[in-house]
Amino acid sequence: MGALEEVKAELARVLPPDAVVTDPAELATYSCDGLAGYRTTPGLVVLPTSTEGVASAVRACSARGVPFVARGSGTGLSGGALPHAEGVLIVLSRMRRILEVDPVNQRMVVEPGVTNLAMSKAVAAHHLYYAPDPSSQVVCSVGGNVAENSGGAHCLKYGFTTHHVLGLEVVLPDGSVVELGGRTLDPPGYDLRGVFVGSEGTLGIATRVTVRLLRLPEAVATLVADFPDPSTAGEAVSGIIASGIVPAAVEMLDNLAIQACEAATGAGYSLDAGAALVVELDGPREECLGRFGEVEAICRGAGATRVRVAGSEDERALIWKGRKAAFAAMGRLSPGYFVQDGVIPRTALGPVLARIAHLASEAGLRVANVFHAGDGNLHPLVLYDPDRPGEPERAEELATRIVELCVDAGGSITGEHGVGVDKACSMPKMFSEDDLAVMARVRAAFDPAGICNPGKVFPTPRLCGEVIGPYRPHPLELAGVAERW
Amino acid sequence: MTGMSERGPVPEAPVAHSPAGTGHGAFDGHHPPSRRRVEECVHCGFCLPACPTYGLWGEEMDSPRGRILLMKEALEGHIALDDVFVRHMDACLGCMACMSACPSGVRYDELIEATRAQIERLHRRGPLERAYREALFAVFPHPGRVRVAAVAAWAYQRSGLAGALHARRWPDRLPGRMGRWREALRALDGLMPPVSLGAVARPLPRQVGPHGAPRRRVGLVAGCIQRGFFAQVNWATVRVLVAEGCEVVVPRPQGCCGALMVHAGREASALRSARALVDAFEGWELDDVVVNAAGCGSTLKDYGRLLADDPGYAGRASGLAGKARDVTEVLAGLEPRARRHPVRARVAYHDACHLSHAQGVRSQPRQVLASVPGLEVVELGDDQCCGSAGIYNLVQPEAGEELGRHKADLVRAAGVEAVVTANPGCNLQLRRFLGPGVPVFHPVEVLDASLRGRPSLAGAQGV
């Protein structure tokens, strides 16, 4: 019996029957996450409902050196939850209980499958919310947010997941259960919680998350400003930041992105605008509304052709619905897309966008751009048709070139989606061999056997097509224990 | 060769196909799920929180994007239309909440309908399951037989037989091997509404003039379940339309509109019903074709696509589809004319999926209710399917029951005296799980009570 078969047999014994998926068709539905360009059918899927269930699955894998991958809602955009063909996919979507709400101390404890928005909804009656707001917040799970250190439109002012997670219960790659962090903002000792958040599922599986909650702001004001092109809009963003205003969010959409959002939601974006800025201020009423006039003036001064101020809570919600649907709405423009997640200095926006347009026309592909403009986090969406021979490969190559362009401009290969499989090959572009070696040692401290989400974050020869060196026999082959075929 | 280019009669048996040659994989060539539509899904997952079965079980294969992926795998010939495939397609309620949630505008309705029609042709269910489905479809889409069933239900309820059998918990006493059917029979028994024999017996008028100056000439689709079990809703519909200045025509003979069959993939009989209804409404020169059952309305509005293959009907079918309106759409479009008397009640409005998700009709029924003075309408804060979904609660009783209980809990928590909903299936389901304490009405029944000056909803369900 192969190692995976043994794991299957063991888990069929310890987990309930409906928690173990082995049918090939059913397994295929787990073959990709939100980045559908990469697909691998997992060897086995399990759906545990408790920490103990997760730990059993991990122990079964660990005992036999079988790789495993954790998955929440499967909405990630870097292939972080791409399964392993010979491994186990541990799906946390059934662990979705809210375990504790402590409104006075502004924190809550949840299982990893709880969705980002469900946390905010559960505490809305206490005038509290969970601040990081990825665009997929209606569906993405907090466990996935922890793994990817997810951001969102409002992270410009409020910070990323790591700034809002106080403590974690984690199943380590050997199956043991530990607590990282605690219930306070800065527990003593090494910040292992900080190491874990954003580790992309390579250090273990979070099974319980304690998060901070913030008070809902007293006032919120939102406008959409149209500009003739993204560069002009970029000047308005620089103007707003230079004036000392800290907006809750500054988002930019280029024309192609506007077309998709508008088709999906009818949120009232101008279809003829070269770019649209969504600017939101929040906070105490006096301050928020006072400074809002300044923002409007800066936009007009920079060349806005139209400024629309949300007149009601419904209109505000619709503007955000449009913006947050941007990636998902790309199906209206194209059957396939790669989304990138580069970070650039805000000042480099004009030249970078011009260069992206040039690369796109060279590749004969369309690229839509959505941009967390306030913090320089750019999301180019490379559109392609999976059925046209060669096009997916060209699109992937273009996406990679765009990311590397961001690094050349003084930025980074990922702002919030994670490295996953998608950007693993670009890591050497950004980090030296020493950097990568240090990271690998951190990973090995948690997962010496390398079975926890292997093939992610770090470049591998198989993944990145590097030339494999001359054949050298493995010590086991020399010892006559194993043979290569 | 694509599915769209192949026009012809619905095959009663599998269309000959060789998986390698046709390009449709496990499907045959008669309208397989469209590859183009399948590829519009970008796998973003925004549908997951909207899907009731994903909510129940938390697994991909029972989510919209998971089902679409299964269709894709079958189209590519990687998997067969086997029991596993069929189980996940059967488990879909067809509530279309995923379509409201989908940013990419994926036509899940077309995909699941096409897939189900293929399953009905290409897959052979077990003998008990087959017999049960045949029995359901031998009754429900036939208004006359539903009426007989309604009278039988009336007799069953009045004779003391129901009470006696309930006391002995009859479904529980079935032999063990009938386990799967125990739930189905329990559901069937639980769903039987209290039948008013008077309403069932009295035929609707064929044509009735407007009150005051005529504003519109409308034809009423009387439905099967509506006519059999909720005749009073049809009567209320006629009364409020007349009171608001509509001339109402009820063309005869009228059979089933085909909705239940469309949703279950019984394509041939669905199309037969649709053609007959197109014929029934021929020549009346109507402004609107009024429907008061959400499930029928969404199918009627889709007649153009359903009958596109039939040159003799395609044009007339899309003409009828273009005139189809839910009764609340028609009422909301008319400035209230008849005097509304106060109805002092606190009610919850439950969105029927085939009205809200399939037809996008959300504000109109609320607008109709808002025109009634004294009526307080409470939102349930969750528009998830109640688990009725056509015959879903009869063929998937466990899931139907779980969703029904969830919805009933929401209604009870809202502290209302009654629930208002615009679909007979939802009505039956809600009654079952709410019990007699919280009655269920159609919006026109509430408006009717107001127009007739009934101060409370207690007597709303009169004829």
Side-chain angles (χ1 to χ4, degrees), chain A residues 26 71 73 93-94 96 328 332, chain B residues 55 57-58 65 88 103-104:
Chain A
E26 296 185 326
R71 169 181 166 124
S73 298
S93 56
R94 285 185 183 163
R96 48 187 167 182
R332 296 187 185 257
Chain B
W57 306 314
R65 73 171 176 184
H88 296 303
S104 277

Side-chain angles (χ1 to χ4, degrees), chain A residues 21 23 25-26 28-30 32-34 39 71 73-75 93-94 96 135 138-139 264 328-329 331-332 335 337 387, chain B residues 39-40 42-46 48-49 54-61 65-66 69-70 73 79 84 87-88 103-105:
Chain A
V21 178
D23 179 85
E26 296 185 326
T29 63
Y30 285 96
C32 64
D33 58 12
R39 286 174 195 267
R71 169 181 166 124
S73 298
T75 57
S93 56
R94 285 185 183 163
R96 48 187 167 182
S135 294
V138 294
V139 51
R332 296 187 185 257
Y337 68 88
D387 281 345
Chain B
E39 276 166 7
E40 279 165 358
V42 296
H43 211 74
C44 68
F46 276 44
L48 302 184
Y54 184 79
L56 287 179
W57 306 314
E59 48 184 37
E60 281 293 316
M61 46 280 193
R65 73 171 176 184
L69 206 57
L70 288 172
E73 291 287 300
I79 60 172
V84 172
R87 188 168 76 238
H88 296 303
S104 277

Side-chain angles (χ1 to χ4, degrees), chain B residues 215-237:
Chain B
R215 298 209 276 188
R216 298 188 84 73
R217 183 179 161 87
V218 305
L220 177 67
V221 176
C224 319
I225 311 290
Q226 201 79 294
R227 226 179 306 174
F229 289 118
F230 299 108
Q232 72 277 8
V233 173
N234 279 338
W235 279 97
T237 304

Side-chain angles (χ1 to χ4, degrees), chain B residues 171-372:
Chain B
D172 295 339
R173 301 170 76 90
L174 288 172
R177 67 192 160 77
M178 297 284 284
R180 261 217 71 191
W181 305 100
R182 195 173 302 155
E183 289 306 316
L185 290 171
R186 205 202 306 278
L188 202 53
D189 180 57
L191 285 167
M192 252 179 248
V195 175
S196 151
L197 208 52
V200 175
R202 217 174 118 194
L204 287 165
R206 189 180 288 263
Q207 197 166 356
V208 45
H211 193 82
R215 298 209 276 188
R216 298 188 84 73
R217 183 179 161 87
V218 305
L220 177 67
V221 176
C224 319
I225 311 290
Q226 201 79 294
R227 226 179 306 174
F229 289 118
F230 299 108
Q232 72 277 8
V233 173
N234 279 338
W235 279 97
T237 304
V238 171
R239 280 195 298 266
V240 300
L241 286 169
V242 167
E244 288 294 4
C246 297
E247 181 188 358
V248 181
V249 176
V250 188
R252 259 180 236 155
Q254 254 192 65
C256 169
C257 67
L260 282 178
M261 290 87 95
V262 169
H263 299 150
R266 301 169 76 97
E267 194 182 351
S269 57
L271 297 189
R272 271 197 300 278
S273 297
R275 286 190 192 97
L277 200 69
V278 170
D279 288 337
F281 276 79
E282 187 72 26
W284 282 98
E285 291 182 18
L286 302 166
D287 295 317
D288 307 299
V289 172
V290 176
V291 192
N292 57 17
C296 308
S298 74
T299 297
L300 239 75
K301 288 179 178 180
D302 207 20
Y303 266 15
R305 189 177 63 85
L306 278 179
L307 289 171
D309 285 358
D310 187 337
Y313 279 87
R316 288 188 290 151
S318 53
L320 185 69
K323 287 184 176 175
R325 308 263 183 288
D326 186 73
V327 60
T328 61
E329 288 183 275
V330 174
L331 289 169
L334 295 169
E335 190 60 33
R337 183 198 273 177
R339 180 159 172 228
R340 268 78 169 154
H341 301 276
V343 175
R344 310 261 168 234
R346 182 179 150 89
V347 301
Y349 177 72
H350 162 66
D351 282 292
C353 296
H354 276 94
L355 201 56
S356 61
H357 300 303
Q359 300 182 55
V361 175
R362 295 183 179 86
S363 63
Q364 296 89 333
R366 290 176 168 83
Q367 210 177 315
V368 168
L369 295 175
S371 76
V372 175

Side-chain angles (χ1 to χ4, degrees), chain A residues 134-155:
Chain A
S135 294
S136 56
Q137 69 182 145
V138 294
V139 51
C140 66
S141 68
V142 65
N145 290 178
V146 167
E148 301 295 332
N149 188 20
S150 303
H154 292 80
C155 291

